[in-house]
Amino acid sequence: MSVIRRTILSVIFVILSLAMAGGAFAQTPAPQNSTWFLAPDAAGIDQVWQLLLDQPEPRQITRAESDVLTFGASVDGLAVAYISGGQLWLQPIHTEAAEALASVTATRFQSAPIFSENGGYLAYADDGVWLYDLAQRSTRQLLDDVTMNEDASNMGELRIYSPQQFAGRADENPTHLVIDVGYFEWTSTGVVDLATGAYSELEDQTYTNLLPLKNGRVLVFGNGALAGSPSLSIAPSLDDINAHTPLISFAEFTDAELFAQGAVELSMNEIRVYGQLMTPEPGITLFYFTYDLNAGFMGLSTMTVAEPGQETAVYGRLSRDGRLLPVWLNYAYTESGGVAGDLRLLDMPTGELVEAAFPEQVGQFIWQP
């Protein structure tokens, strides 16, 4: 066969493969104003929906036969992984059919399935943490939960693990997996080295959370009523999270009691930290501040997200640009342990609510990764 003919046949094969994949020529990565959430369909079944914030209505992504309990979106925005009917499913957004990947026995989930940045792996919770290899279509367990005995004699040993974030170069396989750790009365964070399987965990309840940074270092933070220090610290790497050194104490810039519950990296060395400001006044007050690893503290801002009589508000994760915060008003807990309610987007710099075409009841909400 001539080189020209082989080339023509190869091109035809690629075209046919793309077409069979579900209209691949129309498949473009999701824009950064893309959001994803759970809400009931016309039959009352919770499904995954996608909403571009400048569009008049959301688009239904999944068509599961039973409620979607939790989900995650790929970094390119072309697929979601979700849990429904005792299965982990993979749903490309340009096809109606979903693929069953693995059985799931747990009914309550601490976090959503998450994709690695290169799209090659999924991590999900099922009485522990599992790693699914999308190329090999195989799964393996990384951590096993430690559940409570009937007599609660092992209360101090209780551990409920769930995946939080992959880490590593975007164009390579992930090197680490950051893990949420649930104790009896508080939470913390750990790290799995995916090459060796080694696991390390934050010690002594000094802090409760980690944010891997682009420069390879790790922001160590997180405090609340039961655990954590009202300050920021920095660790040299995910391999050495307990060798952290202090950056700043909140007492250096405010007398208020701040519970730092989240952080995003705005740019190289620039971090936005946010959470709840504790006050005796009714209502719910949030704060955020920016910290530059070179220039230091950049100023504190506060805003009220729930007026008196709306103390049932709860908030999610800040957008990657550090601007918009999802807030649920008048929420209720779902059977799977999540929340659902009236979702609003709070513009943190202005304190104003942003209009978006969300339905009346929204459950889990995530930003485009």
Side-chain angles (χ1 to χ4, degrees), residues 295-308:
F297 176 69
M298 305 292 286
L300 175 69
S301 298
T302 64
M303 70 289 303
T304 299
V305 298
E307 300 296 338

Side-chain angles (χ1 to χ4, degrees), residues 139-170:
T139 189
R140 64 185 174 98
Q141 190 166 20
L142 300 178
L143 293 169
D144 192 11
D145 287 351
V146 181
T147 56
M148 186 86 73
N149 295 335
E150 289 187 5
D151 61 0
S153 59
N154 66 334
M155 186 182 302
E157 301 170 6
L158 177 72
R159 297 290 188 278
I160 305 298
Y161 301 109
S162 52
Q164 182 187 114
Q165 178 182 354
F166 282 103
R169 285 175 53 97

Side-chain angles (χ1 to χ4, degrees), residues 256-257 276-286 302-312:
E257 186 177 10
Q276 189 165 350
L277 185 151
M278 303 309 295
T279 171
E281 301 299 324
I284 296 176
T285 301
L286 298 182
T302 64
M303 70 289 303
T304 299
V305 298
E307 300 296 338
Q310 290 183 328
E311 286 84 356
T312 58

Side-chain angles (χ1 to χ4, degrees), residues 266-299:
L266 303 179
S267 60
M268 185 71 74
N269 298 321
E270 188 179 9
I271 301 157
R272 180 154 292 173
V273 179
Y274 64 98
Q276 189 165 350
L277 185 151
M278 303 309 295
T279 171
E281 301 299 324
I284 296 176
T285 301
L286 298 182
F287 76 88
Y288 74 86
F289 66 84
T290 303
Y291 187 88
D292 188 294
L293 294 178
N294 297 319
F297 176 69
M298 305 292 286

Side-chain angles (χ1 to χ4, degrees), residues 39-215:
D41 62 12
I45 299 174
D46 282 345
Q47 306 285 1
V48 179
W49 302 73
Q50 181 188 35
L51 175 66
L52 305 184
L53 294 183
D54 57 355
Q55 296 300 306
E57 60 183 26
R59 172 191 176 194
Q60 184 175 341
I61 300 300
T62 62
R63 288 166 176 79
E65 295 182 358
S66 59
D67 285 341
V68 174
L69 302 180
T70 186
F71 75 96
S74 62
V75 174
D76 61 11
L78 297 180
V80 296
Y82 67 92
I83 293 174
S84 173
Q87 291 281 340
L88 173 70
W89 301 84
L90 179 66
Q91 173 70 69
I93 69 167
H94 294 288
T95 64
E96 291 192 7
E99 176 187 357
L101 299 181
S103 62
V104 175
T105 59
T107 57
R108 295 179 67 87
F109 303 94
Q110 305 302 312
S111 73
I114 58 172
F115 287 82
S116 63
E117 195 164 0
N118 72 346
Y121 295 87
L122 278 169
Y124 63 100
D126 182 25
D127 294 326
V129 174
W130 298 74
L131 183 68
Y132 192 94
D133 186 325
L134 286 165
Q136 301 297 323
R137 290 302 196 262
S138 62
T139 189
R140 64 185 174 98
Q141 190 166 20
L142 300 178
L143 293 169
D144 192 11
D145 287 351
V146 181
T147 56
M148 186 86 73
N149 295 335
E150 289 187 5
D151 61 0
S153 59
N154 66 334
M155 186 182 302
E157 301 170 6
L158 177 72
R159 297 290 188 278
I160 305 298
Y161 301 109
S162 52
Q164 182 187 114
Q165 178 182 354
F166 282 103
R169 285 175 53 97
D171 57 345
E172 296 179 353
N173 287 335
T175 58
H176 298 80
L177 181 63
V178 180
I179 302 291
D180 281 325
V181 187
Y183 295 79
F184 180 65
E185 290 185 320
W186 67 90
T187 63
S188 188
T189 308
V191 178
V192 176
D193 184 317
L194 295 176
T196 66
Y199 174 72
S200 58
E201 197 170 293
L202 285 174
E203 298 171 351
D204 302 325
Q205 300 178 48
T206 306
Y207 295 100
T208 60
N209 219 328
L210 301 172
L211 177 66
L213 303 176
K214 294 182 178 69
N215 60 17

